[in-house]
Amino acid sequence: MLAVFDKTVAKCPDALQSPHSAPATSVLKDGFLANHLASLHPGSVTVNLGTSGLIAYSLDKQNPLLPRLFAVVDDIFCLFQGHIENVAALKQQYGLNKTANEVIIVIEAYRTLRDRGPYPADQVVKDILGKFAFVLYDSTSKATFIAADADGSVPFFWGTDSEGNLVLSDDVQIVQKGCGKSFAPFPKGCFFTTSRGLRSFEHPMNELKPVPRVDSSGQVCGSTFKVDAETKKESAGMPRVDSSYNWSSNY
């Protein structure tokens, strides 16, 4: 799977940018990375998100235990890879019918968070038990919601191109193609949103600190992010608002 977002939609952490710069190529120009994915996996599907970016996926060569799923509901696009263990409980929690699968559950969890905000965003992700990584884009609010499970069970990488656009994929070679050395595994147990950036859903009150990665030649390759046990976030309660409020700016 592949997702590319313009820097105005999803600004990746500065620490992902390697001093050994990425190739001087915009990953969004002329569908550069989507075309590369198609060359590797004929039959792949690309969904153009206009100026915001693109989402692409292929069912070719997937792990049957960690399948890829894609769905669109009310202008919310979601790519999901993996398996949720507590599907029945989440269907009941979000009032979904028996035919709903993992990707529909993630979309409904996000939509509930966006429209009503009954739970903190970290709790919404923490409630999903299993092996997973997902990328969600809400075209109405131009917001992203991205996460990986606590064990990093699904291969999932992110990086930035020379223009600061964000690239996400389960294929490290695709990320390297667009980002050079400015990439890293997506932090396990973490989620990323357009409005609040990267956070840990396992330790939501702690800050994350970047730890530079160094390759075999001694060059910096992006950063991993670790929970900083010493630094706590400032807690702030959710404001009381009416039912028409859009919660997306708070998660």
Side-chain angles (χ1 to χ4, degrees):
M1 65 179 182
L2 168 67
V4 182
F5 294 111
D6 185 85
K7 61 187 174 185
T8 60
V9 172
K11 187 183 185 306
C12 66
D14 292 337
L16 263 187
Q17 183 72 57
S18 169
H20 308 283
S21 60
T25 304
S26 169
V27 292
L28 287 170
K29 186 177 181 181
D30 301 324
F32 170 68
L33 268 192
N35 291 336
H36 180 61
L37 175 70
S39 71
L40 297 174
H41 305 283
S44 62
V45 176
T46 299
V47 179
N48 191 327
L49 302 175
T51 58
S52 296
L54 61 87
I55 287 176
Y57 67 97
S58 168
L59 302 182
D60 182 39
K61 298 177 182 176
Q62 63 177 334
N63 182 339
L65 299 177
L66 301 171
R68 300 183 195 108
L69 300 169
F70 175 74
V72 185
V73 179
D74 295 338
D75 297 322
I76 300 171
F77 300 76
C78 187
L79 258 178
F80 178 96
Q81 183 168 350
H83 173 71
I84 294 177
E85 295 171 1
N86 58 331
V87 164
L90 292 175
K91 284 181 186 179
Q92 184 175 16
Q93 179 176 332
Y94 293 112
L96 293 167
N97 62 37
K98 292 181 179 180
T99 61
N101 60 10
E102 281 94 339
V103 70
I104 297 298
I105 289 170
V106 170
I107 289 175
E108 190 58 34
Y110 164 80
R111 189 158 58 171
T112 301
L113 174 66
R114 180 194 68 183
D115 296 344
R116 300 198 298 276
Y119 318 108
D122 55 87
Q123 189 63 48
V124 169
V125 185
K126 198 171 185 177
D127 284 345
I128 302 172
L129 306 179
K131 300 177 179 181
F132 64 86
F134 65 77
V135 179
L136 180 148
Y137 174 70
D138 181 351
S139 63
T140 302
S141 57
K142 293 188 182 299
T144 59
F145 192 41
I146 301 159
D149 72 65
D151 296 319
S153 308
V154 176
F156 194 39
F157 303 89
W158 67 338
T160 177
D161 71 357
S162 58
E163 297 184 354
N165 301 312
L166 182 63
V167 178
L168 302 115
S169 179
D170 59 338
D171 187 331
V172 65
Q173 293 182 333
I174 290 176
V175 177
Q176 286 176 306
K177 180 81 172 177
C179 305
K181 293 183 180 294
S182 297
F183 79 98
F186 190 87
K188 58 187 180 181
C190 291
F191 68 106
F192 175 93
T193 64
T194 292
S195 58
R196 300 283 296 275
L198 184 68
R199 288 178 287 164
S200 166
F201 63 78
E202 288 198 296
H203 305 280
M205 296 307 297
N206 293 89
E207 298 283 358
L208 291 166
K209 61 180 180 181
V211 179
R213 297 193 318 140
V214 179
D215 66 10
S216 57
S217 64
Q219 293 186 327
V220 174
C221 292
S223 295
T224 55
F225 291 82
K226 305 292 184 184
V227 172
D228 187 348
E230 304 298 319
T231 311
K232 298 285 187 181
K233 290 180 178 290
E234 292 183 15
S235 60
M238 286 290 194
R240 294 181 65 86
V241 294
D242 63 35
S243 59
S244 64
Y245 186 74
N246 185 337
W247 285 90
S248 59
S249 61
N250 286 296
Y251 61 73

